[in-house]
Amino acid sequence: MQPFTVLTAIAAPYDRLNVDTDQILPARFLLKRRTDPQYPTYLFRDLRLTADGSENTDFVLNHPAYRAAKIFVGNANFGGGSSREAAAIAFDRYGFRCVIAVNFGDIFYNNCVKNGILPVRLPEATTAALRNQLHTKPGSTLTVNLPAQTVTDAEGKQHAFDIDGFSKSCLIEGASQIDLTLRRLDVIEAFEQRYAATMSWADVR
Amino acid sequence: MLQSRSMFQKIWDNHTVTKDEHSGEVLLFVDRLILTDTSSFHAFDHLRAEGYKVRHPKKIFGEPDHFAASRGPTLADIADDERRELVSALGENCAEFGLTHFGLSDPRMGISHVVAPEQGITLPGLFLLCGDSHTSTHGALGALAFGIGGQTGHIMATQCIWQRPLKNMRVSVEGVRAPGVAAKDVILAIINRLGPAGGFGHVVEYAGAAIRAMSVEERLTVCNMSIEAGARSGMIAPDDTTIAYVKGRPWAPKDAEWDKAVAYWKTLPSDADARFDHELTLDAATLSPMVSWGNTAADVVPVTGRVPDPANEPNADRRRSMERALDYMGLKAGAALQDMAVDQVFIGSCTNGRIEDLRAAAAVVTGQGKGRKAKIPALVVPGSGLVKAQAEREGLHRIFIDAGFTWGHPGCSMCVGTNGDTVAAGKRCVSTSNRNFVGRQGAGSRTHLASPATAAASALTGRVTDVRDFMQGGL
Ligand code: SF4
């Protein structure tokens, strides 16, 4: 996984509330492999394209100024709904590295971290101000500093955010959760020995 | 002195490897992991890309079920290339990493939540996980089991999972069920009392005389639907019924290990003074056959009941969702459920696709329903290859086929429709599955959840039917 430390990139604002994982990645793409070269086009597919397959010019990612965006600024209750990991994979494959929102669906939040995307929670007024700046000056950049836990907005103002230590170290090191758990291999092995001694019947031979 | 503990707490403690002081999460050791055809391919891709090894291949079982075709047992019968590829990918991935796999041509294949208990892969006291949300089923044997979404890769590589502590609820069903009231009716009544989110963040232990009196298969039906009340899992303390069920199954411990296991299982039931975060008690004698009217499993009434009126609902959000449900389901407030015309019937799924379920449905057809033919399309899909074989030994398939039902090959089938068995838009289906969500059985499908006996009786009449009328020689 690509480590995440400091990122300065164009940010795309999206005002809608309650963007669930079905809007992020419609269910009919659930069976697609992450190596599918078309994967980036599945992100927000039904919002980006109209029924006849042409681009919906109103949708933020179709605006020329935001095409190279690596940061997505949403609103409240982002990524709720079905637990599909593919929603985070779609953000990753599209090229996003950071999603900012007021709050996230739990599973989506974890799936972001697992896929190397930094989810940032900021208060409602702050996310509204960020989106406002980005709407006013399309193509503006934000700077997200994970070690310092700050977002610097288009006007140079800094906003602090919270993140749990486990997700933070995963992202900074570009380590997967598996890597971090395997660092405790000695504890796991010691457990397994104790467990095998008392619970031998539970093993599979 | 040890603090008194619930069964859930005992199993949780016994599997605790370590705790992360930062996050408060606990690292738990996993005894069994089940992979299905829908939920594992991202995990395998990840393992390969990062070069991880599977830590305990023997503890992991691949069981294709969602895409298995009911029209035939081979890959060629599967609906389309994409699904065919996922089913064969599961087999290839299992072979590559050395995991046990019950492929389509294996006589033991079937729905993972039917196969694992049947094979003795599920045992009391174990911690068992699967990507699928109805993994709560396995708790019926006194295991801790739940669905885990996208974490299968982590478990394969570490045989462990990080979890936040869960709350613990006890639902006691006392008394004796009346004839015609199935385990399915009991769990629907419980979910109705808890509400669709009433179990959120909890593991539910089902207890009480009516639960004790149930067979293991009935208990599997009860635990299966815990998730429909929002609970992470359901469980039932192992007792002599459980032990007799497990004994001799292929993956169950043998000889000295068996004795050791049984001795341990006897220590599992919750201590008499164990504390629960919530308690609910029901009297089984007051329960009737249930039928759902809305789009959550909590939206049920007795089969003799009426569609509730949203106007009587004081909570505005709840009222609006009731109105939406009635609109989607094409129902009017106050309408009687019984005798409402039905377009088709589905008997099967991990809730009600076991041999006792098929016997209960067949008994309606051979009992008071004798000589009748299904008035509407009715699909019966056994939960596993072994259930199918057993049913055919007993001649149940003949009973169904002679009465005009379709007899399918094992899999999830019309429970979720991902294998192509769907309910058409606007059509009404009495189904023994567990979810009546909008579009669950196909876009626009209208699902009424019910027991196998209710479903069979409804197939014979073409209407929502009170199975007790059949039993009393009515109709
Ligand atoms: S039968 Fe239905 S609920 Fe059970 S595992 Fe299959 S799709 Fe899920």
Side-chain angles (χ1 to χ4, degrees):
Chain A
M1 248 165 41
Q2 215 181 326
F4 192 112
T5 48
V6 182
L7 170 73
T8 300
I10 295 174
Y14 192 56
D15 297 332
R16 199 186 281 203
L17 283 167
N18 307 321
V19 174
D20 60 38
T21 50
D22 204 56
Q23 296 173 52
I24 297 171
L25 185 100
R28 62 184 185 282
F29 302 119
L30 277 180
L31 301 186
K32 302 289 182 186
R33 315 295 289 261
R34 82 184 302 148
T35 45
D36 179 345
Q38 291 300 310
Y39 220 113
T41 68
Y42 305 146
L43 177 72
F44 290 118
R45 174 65 155 249
D46 295 342
L47 294 163
R48 276 166 68 191
L49 300 188
T50 59
D52 65 14
S54 61
E55 279 194 358
N56 170 8
T57 47
D58 288 345
F59 189 70
V60 59
L61 297 184
N62 293 330
H63 190 299
Y66 302 117
R67 288 215 188 239
K70 289 192 181 333
I71 302 171
F72 193 88
V73 186
N75 200 332
N77 190 24
F78 195 87
S82 126
S83 65
R84 62 193 66 164
E85 180 181 3
I89 293 175
F91 266 105
D92 173 53
R93 293 284 278 110
Y94 186 91
F96 280 108
R97 305 247 33 229
C98 172
V99 181
I100 300 174
V102 180
N103 45 30
F104 294 89
D106 274 356
I107 296 175
F108 178 73
Y109 186 95
N110 288 332
N111 283 334
C112 280
V113 173
K114 212 173 119 187
N115 285 281
I117 298 167
L118 169 63
V120 172
R121 294 189 195 96
L122 286 174
E124 203 164 340
T126 314
T127 52
L130 291 181
R131 288 196 310 272
N132 204 11
Q133 290 172 3
L134 300 168
H135 282 303
T136 320
K137 270 205 206 158
S140 305
T141 61
L142 301 178
T143 297
V144 183
N145 184 327
L146 177 56
Q149 295 184 209
T150 57
V151 174
T152 307
D153 69 20
E155 291 163 4
K157 210 167 149 214
Q158 274 197 1
H159 310 274
F161 65 88
D162 271 342
I163 183 167
D164 68 278
F166 188 71
S167 303
K168 185 175 174 178
S169 35
C170 281
L171 287 161
I172 288 183
E173 296 178 40
S176 67
Q177 288 179 329
I178 297 177
D179 295 329
L180 293 198
T181 303
L182 286 177
R183 282 185 203 163
R184 308 191 196 220
L185 199 55
D186 51 337
V187 186
I188 297 175
E189 280 173 347
F191 175 90
E192 285 176 349
Q193 278 182 14
R194 276 200 314 279
Y195 191 78
T198 55
M199 295 276 288
S200 54
W201 61 266
D203 202 6
V204 184
R205 269 157 293 262
Chain B
M1 249 282 291
L2 268 178
Q3 207 189 334
S4 57
R5 295 179 300 169
S6 66
M7 169 171 53
F8 158 68
Q9 198 64 50
K10 291 179 191 182
I11 300 179
W12 179 276
D13 291 348
N14 197 33
H15 290 84
T16 297
V17 175
T18 185
K19 190 175 168 177
D20 185 79
E21 295 309 331
H22 281 300
S23 64
E25 292 197 353
V26 174
L27 189 67
L28 298 165
F29 182 74
V30 179
D31 292 301
R32 308 278 188 271
L33 174 69
I34 299 172
L35 307 170
T36 74
D37 43 8
T38 53
S39 53
S40 54
F41 60 101
H42 287 310
F44 282 113
D45 287 348
H46 187 59
L47 293 186
R48 255 190 300 269
E50 304 284 329
Y52 296 120
K53 293 213 162 42
V54 173
R55 189 157 172 76
H56 290 292
K58 290 212 160 108
K59 295 184 190 288
I60 307 177
F61 299 81
E63 303 176 9
D65 47 14
H66 288 69
F67 304 137
S70 59
R71 66 166 163 264
T74 68
L75 264 180
D77 293 305
I78 289 180
D80 59 40
D81 285 345
E82 198 156 55
R83 288 166 234 229
R84 214 180 335 272
E85 198 208 313
L86 287 172
V87 169
S88 42
L90 177 62
E92 287 156 17
N93 284 326
C94 287
E96 179 185 337
F97 289 91
L99 319 181
T100 304
H101 178 246
F102 302 117
L104 294 190
S105 58
D106 191 309
R108 303 163 296 178
M109 68 77 64
I111 308 173
S112 57
H113 313 313
V114 175
V115 171
E118 192 171 75
Q119 289 297 323
I121 292 167
T122 311
L123 297 170
L126 294 189
F127 181 38
L128 180 149
L129 299 174
C130 169
D132 186 86
S133 52
H134 291 93
T135 309
S136 60
T137 312
H138 308 255
L141 282 99
L144 176 62
F146 46 77
I148 33 106
Q151 300 180 74
T152 41
H154 185 278
I155 301 167
M156 286 199 271
T158 67
Q159 201 60 32
C160 293
I161 187 172
W162 289 100
Q163 281 291 301
R164 265 174 233 295
L166 294 161
K167 289 190 180 153
N168 206 188
M169 176 188 311
R170 179 162 56 193
V171 173
S172 305
V173 189
E174 303 296 349
V176 179
R177 279 183 282 155
V181 178
K184 178 68 163 286
D185 301 311
V186 173
I187 186 62
L188 286 172
I190 292 172
I191 297 165
N192 176 258
R193 291 280 292 274
L194 289 173
F200 191 76
H202 286 77
V203 169
V204 180
E205 178 175 342
Y206 301 94
I211 300 287
R212 293 263 75 84
M214 284 182 183
S215 69
V216 167
E217 297 203 355
E218 291 177 308
R219 297 176 189 184
L220 289 160
T221 300
V222 169
C223 288
N224 172 270
M225 291 192 73
S226 307
I227 184 97
E228 308 314 326
R232 262 333 265 295
S233 190
M235 56 202 313
I236 294 171
D239 56 11
D240 292 345
T241 307
T242 321
I243 292 170
Y245 174 92
V246 169
K247 192 168 173 111
R249 297 199 176 255
W251 264 269
K254 311 227 155 23
D255 309 321
E257 292 296 330
W258 170 259
D259 297 336
K260 230 168 128 180
V262 172
Y264 174 70
W265 296 341
K266 301 222 155 152
T267 69
L268 276 175
S270 296
D271 298 333
D273 48 353
R275 209 189 59 80
F276 289 88
D277 298 289
H278 282 287
E279 294 250 20
L280 173 71
T281 303
L282 271 80
D283 179 1
T286 63
L287 303 179
S288 311
M290 308 294 278
V291 179
S292 75
W293 54 266
N295 296 124
T296 81
D299 299 337
V300 290
V301 288
V303 60
T304 49
R306 292 179 179 276
V307 177
D309 189 345
N312 299 331
E313 171 57 51
N315 176 302
D317 284 344
R318 174 88 191 116
R319 187 163 60 241
R320 262 193 301 279
S321 82
M322 284 173 80
E323 284 162 359
R324 266 200 306 275
L326 294 194
D327 184 49
Y328 179 80
M329 294 295 292
L331 295 172
K332 291 220 163 26
L337 261 300
Q338 198 174 349
D339 291 340
M340 186 174 59
V342 175
D343 300 300
Q344 62 196 85
V345 160
F346 172 61
I347 298 174
S349 87
C350 59
T351 316
N352 282 132
R354 283 171 261 275
I355 191 69
E356 289 178 14
D357 299 312
L358 302 188
R359 285 179 193 143
V364 170
V365 180
T366 51
Q368 295 297 329
K370 200 169 171 64
R372 287 171 181 265
K373 290 246 187 277
K375 287 218 169 108
I376 49 178
L379 175 62
V380 186
V381 178
S384 73
L386 294 189
V387 171
K388 180 166 184 277
Q390 176 65 27
E392 291 178 353
R393 270 196 299 278
E394 296 177 19
L396 304 185
H397 66 311
R398 273 283 131 232
I399 295 171
F400 289 123
I401 292 167
D402 290 348
F405 292 59
T406 303
W407 179 244
H409 287 273
C412 296
S413 180
M414 205 178 277
C415 170
V416 66
T418 44
N419 75 338
D421 294 337
T422 54
V423 174
K427 296 292 183 200
R428 205 173 282 296
C429 179
V430 172
S431 177
T432 68
S433 52
N434 45 44
R435 283 187 167 159
N436 50 353
F437 295 172
V438 168
R440 169 75 177 183
Q441 295 188 293
S445 58
R446 293 167 170 170
T447 305
H448 295 273
L449 302 176
S451 75
T454 301
S458 302
L460 296 178
T461 61
R463 294 172 287 121
V464 173
T465 298
D466 187 343
V467 68
R468 293 168 299 188
D469 292 342
F470 264 69
M471 296 162 51
Q472 287 152 14
L475 291 172

